[in-house]
Amino acid sequence: MTLKVSDIGEKELVRYIISHSRSITPDDTAITELGSTNLISTTDMLIQSRHFPENMSYFDMGFKAVTVNVSDLAAMGAEPLGFLLAIAMPKDLDLTHFKQIIDGVLKACIYYGIPLIGGDTNEADEIIITGTALGLAEKPIMKDTYDKGDLIAITGDIGLAALGFELDTLDNVYAKHALKPRAKLDEALILRDFATSATDITDGLASELYEIKKDGFGFMIYEEFLGISDEYKELSDQLNLDYLDLIFHVGEDFELLFTLSKENLEKLPIDCRVIGEVTDSDVIELTLENGFVERIENRGYEHYVSEQ
Amino acid sequence: MTLKVSDIGEKELVRYIISHSRSITPDDTAITELGSTNLISTTDMLIQSRHFPENMSYFDMGFKAVTVNVSDLAAMGAEPLGFLLAIAMPKDLDLTHFKQIIDGVLKACIYYGIPLIGGDTNEADEIIITGTALGLAEKPIMKDTYDKGDLIAITGDIGLAALGFELDTLDNVYAKHALKPRAKLDEALILRDFATSATDITDGLASELYEIKKDGFGFMIYEEFLGISDEYKELSDQLNLDYLDLIFHVGEDFELLFTLSKENLEKLPIDCRVIGEVTDSDVIELTLENGFVERIENRGYEHYVSEQ
């Protein structure tokens, strides 16, 4: 029996690539020195059968392809420079649907202020969109440059998309986050002058906390600060799902997870939710509403069940 | 009956995208002003079932993904800056094969002197590789900035890959060009100081000539200057194929097609093959070996038959 890529998992595959290249700095994007500034570049591929829910419109597919890439620019505090689009589709795709995808891409580019500078089309058995986002940052914000005592914050509520994927109805805030995610670029360009570190939440808060963890440092998150509504708990319960699982271990939030000093929190001119603090515990923990403390598991997007 | 994307064709799809974006200059790559220089960026997606011949090794798949993108940098006379890799593969792909693909990518990056700066992996039903190549050029060479009287030249023989795709054997120059194409980056960085225009040949010489044609200008190509060997004609004949069809209408050559003045040809320090000249005929023509002149058809990669 030979080893398959699925035996290794995506993170290990990426680590294999990084370990064999001298030029990759493992943060949210590539960073290339360019005179007095830095070119920030990132690429992400979306595959219809894996990334686009059944009920997602063609417009939203195109919009999301830009969003996932711009989110990485936001994570670095980079100003947008340009977006490249590579798209493949079945040859019997309705021309109208193709135009709707492109319209989604174009509207997203306008929304984020990132010009569409290149396009390439191809034929494949399903819709596949690879976007590349380019930006500039004099001082890119790395993901692990926090200090002990820093506060941990997020730019908005998380877990909404996760619940949205589980619901049948479309006309609610959860489905909206699932089908129409938005990168937090405007917020990034403001918080970069206040934050000590930043990353974007795509695979779930737990996954990102483990991504940014350094030896000797830990994180304490407080459930009561997560702002989980009663409606959220009820809907999860009706679906026989654990609401904390949804919030921590699914992702597709695209909110920014960042750290900053208490002093800078007071000066920060945008809304955010402080959810915890950086410690020296060397573990990642959650203080539940009832006061108990539990270890947060390193689980990203995977099937989850309701805890009793 | 609704219109499908296949009714429109790839060039029209790309034109649709370009016409709706103010920021796309239709040349081989995107060009973004960056201080005293220009960022050159391009993206290309390769899909296993469409772009990788049955007998292509995993290593060569990875290498080609870099080649096709670096070829566009070469077409602009850009120095390489960095390469981003997005790769999707079936979950039951042997880990060994994954490593061979990555090895191909890494070896190609070393070969072209372009650092691999970012990587992303995904799951899909077949191998899909999207590369993005970034470069810098103070004065990018455009594809249609030639003058009347300029000579038309190519950096090497064309039609070799086209024949290679038709042969069963692997141990010959044709199969080598089909399975192991190489971008002409070194040549580009030299000829950019002598050429008036340049592009790379990917869809066949005929297709590229039509891509670069401007109103009021024409091209006269001379069959006797194409350097077609007797062996090439014989092998084509044995396969019941028209050798001129193979040379003009298939592609995958990755040679540079460029123009230059007679004076600069004498100064050009690299080998090249002069194949014709820029005219004011407003048509694209071929003078056959027998002296007859025929219009070159605007046909790219498609099924072809032997002419009698």
Side-chain angles (χ1 to χ4, degrees):
Chain A
M1 273 299 280
T2 46
L3 269 182
K4 305 294 182 189
V5 291
S6 56
D7 297 322
I8 301 298
E10 186 186 332
K11 286 198 156 50
E12 275 306 309
L13 295 175
V14 174
R15 244 173 246 140
Y16 179 87
I17 299 174
I18 290 175
S19 68
H20 283 77
S21 168
R22 262 172 254 141
S23 316
I24 297 182
T25 314
D27 210 286
D28 291 290
T29 70
I31 305 168
T32 309
E33 274 189 45
L34 224 50
S36 61
T37 187
N38 295 280
L39 176 69
I40 304 298
S41 58
T42 182
T43 187
D44 247 317
M45 189 188 300
L46 296 183
I47 295 144
Q48 186 174 14
S49 53
R50 270 67 170 186
H51 296 103
F52 299 145
E54 283 283 328
N55 50 9
M56 191 177 219
S57 71
Y58 291 97
F59 177 94
D60 284 339
M61 290 179 198
F63 205 111
K64 184 176 179 179
V66 184
T67 291
V68 301
N69 284 287
V70 169
S71 188
D72 282 313
L73 293 189
M76 303 303 282
E79 290 122 26
L81 187 63
F83 184 81
L84 297 159
L85 173 74
I87 175 170
M89 59 214 129
K91 61 183 178 191
D92 61 353
L93 180 72
D94 277 3
L95 185 62
T96 313
H97 294 156
F98 165 76
K99 290 183 175 182
Q100 287 165 350
I101 297 172
I102 298 307
D103 197 33
V105 171
L106 292 165
K107 291 290 193 310
C109 285
I110 291 170
Y111 180 86
Y112 296 118
I114 188 166
L116 175 65
I117 59 175
D120 174 55
T121 66
N122 263 292
E123 192 197 304
D125 295 337
E126 56 175 327
I127 294 166
I128 298 159
I129 311 179
T130 310
T132 299
L134 306 172
L136 293 174
E138 277 188 31
K139 292 184 211 163
I141 337 166
M142 309 303 284
K143 62 184 182 183
D144 61 0
T145 36
Y146 43 80
D147 303 306
K148 285 187 182 77
D150 273 353
L151 299 174
I152 300 170
I154 51 181
T155 47
D157 291 335
I158 54 177
L160 306 180
L163 184 53
F165 292 125
E166 298 298 322
L167 297 172
D168 286 325
T169 53
L170 295 180
D171 194 22
N172 56 76
V173 64
Y174 313 105
K176 191 176 172 198
H177 274 77
L179 301 174
K180 298 174 186 290
R182 296 292 180 261
K184 304 300 180 286
L185 187 60
D186 289 346
E187 290 87 335
L189 296 178
I190 294 169
L191 68 84
R192 64 180 173 172
D193 292 328
F194 300 88
T196 45
S197 79
T199 190
D200 62 334
I201 305 175
T202 52
D203 292 328
L205 178 58
S207 186
E208 309 307 342
L209 290 170
Y210 275 92
E211 269 293 304
I212 68 174
K213 187 190 174 310
K214 294 184 288 192
D215 287 341
F217 288 80
F219 308 120
M220 177 58 79
I221 308 298
Y222 297 89
E223 182 186 356
E224 65 184 299
F225 296 159
L226 290 172
I228 307 166
S229 68
D230 289 337
E231 178 185 75
Y232 193 93
K233 293 179 185 178
E234 280 155 26
L235 285 168
S236 309
D237 199 52
Q238 282 169 30
L239 292 163
N240 227 21
L241 297 167
D242 180 336
Y243 69 88
L244 284 177
D245 247 343
L246 287 172
I247 284 170
F248 276 90
H249 301 294
V250 179
E252 299 269 315
D253 302 282
F254 300 100
E255 297 292 340
L256 297 171
L257 170 70
F258 63 104
T259 57
L260 72 176
S261 66
K262 291 181 186 66
E263 294 74 28
N264 273 347
L265 174 65
E266 277 156 46
K267 300 182 201 161
L268 187 67
I270 58 168
D271 284 338
C272 71
R273 189 180 282 289
V274 175
I275 62 172
E277 67 223 345
V278 179
T279 69
D280 57 6
S281 69
D282 216 24
V283 289
I284 304 180
E285 296 174 307
L286 172 70
T287 299
L288 299 166
E289 272 175 343
N290 60 19
F292 282 109
V293 175
E294 63 177 31
R295 192 72 60 89
I296 296 173
E297 286 173 48
N298 187 4
R299 272 190 298 117
Y301 178 54
E302 56 177 24
H303 190 68
Y304 41 81
V305 292
S306 172
E307 289 174 24
Q308 294 302 40
Chain B
M1 272 301 279
T2 46
L3 269 182
K4 306 294 182 189
V5 291
S6 56
D7 297 322
I8 301 299
E10 187 186 331
K11 286 199 157 47
E12 274 307 308
L13 295 175
V14 174
R15 243 173 248 142
Y16 178 87
I17 297 173
I18 291 176
S19 67
H20 284 77
S21 168
R22 264 172 251 142
S23 315
I24 298 182
T25 314
D27 211 286
D28 292 291
T29 70
I31 305 169
T32 309
E33 275 189 44
L34 223 51
S36 62
T37 187
N38 294 278
L39 176 68
I40 304 298
S41 58
T42 182
T43 186
D44 247 317
M45 188 187 301
L46 296 183
I47 295 144
Q48 187 175 12
S49 52
R50 270 68 169 185
H51 296 102
F52 300 144
E54 284 283 330
N55 49 9
M56 191 177 220
S57 71
Y58 291 97
F59 178 93
D60 285 339
M61 290 180 198
F63 205 110
K64 185 176 180 180
V66 183
T67 291
V68 301
N69 284 288
V70 169
S71 189
D72 282 312
L73 292 189
M76 303 303 281
E79 290 122 27
L81 186 63
F83 185 80
L84 297 158
L85 173 74
I87 174 169
M89 60 214 129
K91 61 182 177 190
D92 62 354
L93 180 72
D94 278 3
L95 186 62
T96 313
H97 294 155
F98 165 76
K99 291 183 175 183
Q100 287 165 351
I101 296 172
I102 298 307
D103 197 33
V105 170
L106 292 165
K107 290 290 194 309
C109 285
I110 292 169
Y111 180 86
Y112 296 117
I114 189 166
L116 176 65
I117 59 176
D120 174 55
T121 66
N122 263 291
E123 192 197 306
D125 296 337
E126 56 175 326
I127 294 168
I128 298 159
I129 312 179
T130 310
T132 299
L134 306 172
L136 293 173
E138 276 189 27
K139 292 185 210 163
I141 336 167
M142 308 303 283
K143 64 185 181 184
D144 61 359
T145 36
Y146 43 80
D147 303 306
K148 286 188 183 75
D150 273 353
L151 300 174
I152 301 170
I154 50 181
T155 46
D157 291 335
I158 54 178
L160 305 181
L163 184 53
F165 290 126
E166 299 297 322
L167 297 172
D168 286 323
T169 52
L170 295 178
D171 192 23
N172 56 76
V173 64
Y174 313 105
K176 190 174 173 201
H177 273 78
L179 301 173
K180 298 173 186 292
R182 296 291 180 261
K184 303 301 180 285
L185 187 61
D186 289 344
E187 290 86 336
L189 297 177
I190 293 170
L191 67 84
R192 66 179 172 173
D193 293 327
F194 300 89
T196 45
S197 79
T199 189
D200 62 332
I201 306 175
T202 52
D203 292 329
L205 178 58
S207 185
E208 308 307 342
L209 290 170
Y210 275 92
E211 269 293 305
I212 70 174
K213 187 188 174 314
K214 294 183 288 193
D215 287 342
F217 289 79
F219 309 119
M220 177 57 79
I221 308 298
Y222 298 89
E223 183 186 353
E224 65 185 300
F225 296 158
L226 288 173
I228 307 166
S229 68
D230 289 337
E231 178 184 78
Y232 192 93
K233 293 179 185 177
E234 280 155 25
L235 285 168
S236 309
D237 199 51
Q238 281 170 30
L239 292 163
N240 228 19
L241 297 167
D242 179 337
Y243 68 88
L244 284 177
D245 247 342
L246 287 173
I247 284 171
F248 275 90
H249 302 294
V250 179
E252 299 268 315
D253 302 282
F254 301 100
E255 297 292 340
L256 296 171
L257 170 69
F258 63 102
T259 57
L260 73 178
S261 65
K262 289 180 190 62
E263 294 75 29
N264 273 347
L265 174 66
E266 277 155 44
K267 301 181 201 163
L268 187 67
I270 56 168
D271 284 338
C272 72
R273 191 179 280 291
V274 174
I275 61 171
E277 67 223 344
V278 179
T279 69
D280 57 5
S281 69
D282 216 23
V283 289
I284 303 180
E285 294 174 308
L286 172 69
T287 300
L288 299 166
E289 272 174 341
N290 61 19
F292 282 109
V293 174
E294 65 177 29
R295 192 71 60 87
I296 295 173
E297 285 173 48
N298 187 4
R299 270 190 300 116
Y301 178 55
E302 57 178 24
H303 191 69
Y304 41 82
V305 292
S306 172
E307 290 175 19
Q308 294 299 35

